[in-house]
Amino acid sequence: MSETRHTVTVGDDITISYSVFSGTDPAVVILHGLAGSSREFVPTAQALSTRKVILIDQRGHGFSTRVPDDTSRTAFVGDVVRVIKKESSQPVDLVGQSMGAHTAMLVAAAHPALVRRLVLLEGNEGNGSAEDQDALGDYFRSWEVPFSSRDNARDSLGDGPLAQAWVADLEEREDGLYPRFDADVMVRTISEVAVPRWKEWESITAPALVVYADGGMFTEEQKTEFVGRGRNVTRADLTDASHDAHLDAFEQWNTVLREFLTAT
């Protein structure tokens, strides 16, 4: 299973970077969460070894343009659509986690002909307060960058699964290691994700799998309402898992994902 990295240019100054893992169609397109990158889903791509898998660094993340002017949901959707149309001649299976789940949901709503199946890991219609967004920005700004080494970054960020992913993804520059995202861009991005999109969710007819973690972000009431308001939805629950279940409950995640994508 070979991996190649590609880019598309959006407008005059935005580059979207993505990796393609060789395999059979229909392709599986995977979208990471806020402040993450496509590298978090390399193990998932490798586990889907018979399928073509496309991992996209969404704008403001990873190897894509770090500080885009436009952080609207429309811009994120447009980027994903551009990659899908470039890399696939048929509908894809679209997978997203957290913010990436929100993006995937909006892609499926706006471009139903492009999406065969939809998988949302720890995603919902969109919510969150300005206070939460400010707190997130303050947290990212508190990082004492540049880190002198990955060990220094681990000491600062901790050794949880998400922190480990951040450390592994740090960008090496002459004066040290930096995150592959900008705190202000993250705040602008999540403020757009916080706007509820019930109309879009309720319009989706493609078969959808909604995956929740027992230690994730959402209450049971939120989970039940979201699943109940979908039109063609299956729910799966992961145990002893966090919001980043693709990292700390990988075997469970891989099992429910593969079963859904291969169902007839």
Side-chain angles (χ1 to χ4, degrees), residues 80-103:
V80 175
V81 168
R82 187 176 291 253
V83 172
I84 291 173
K85 288 183 175 180
K86 180 180 178 182
E87 294 294 336
S88 180
S89 60
Q90 59 183 277
V92 303
D93 291 336
L94 186 57
V95 180
Q97 184 259 340
S98 192
M99 177 201 74
H102 196 264
T103 307

Side-chain angles (χ1 to χ4, degrees), residues 120-121 209-213 227 233-238 252 256-257:
L120 309 180
L121 172 60
L209 173 67
V210 177
V211 184
Y212 290 117
V227 171
V233 182
T234 301
R235 173 175 168 175
D237 291 273
L238 310 183
Q252 292 181 71
V256 299
L257 177 65

Side-chain angles (χ1 to χ4, degrees), residues 122 212-219 222-223 238 241-245:
E122 279 286 299
Y212 290 117
D214 57 358
M217 286 184 59
F218 307 111
T219 66
Q222 288 174 314
K223 297 174 186 179
L238 310 183
S242 74
H243 184 63
D244 301 287

Side-chain angles (χ1 to χ4, degrees), residues 65-83:
T65 295
R66 189 72 44 84
V67 185
D69 290 333
D70 189 353
T71 55
S72 68
R73 296 280 71 206
T74 298
F76 276 78
V77 167
D79 297 340
V80 175
V81 168
R82 187 176 291 253
V83 172

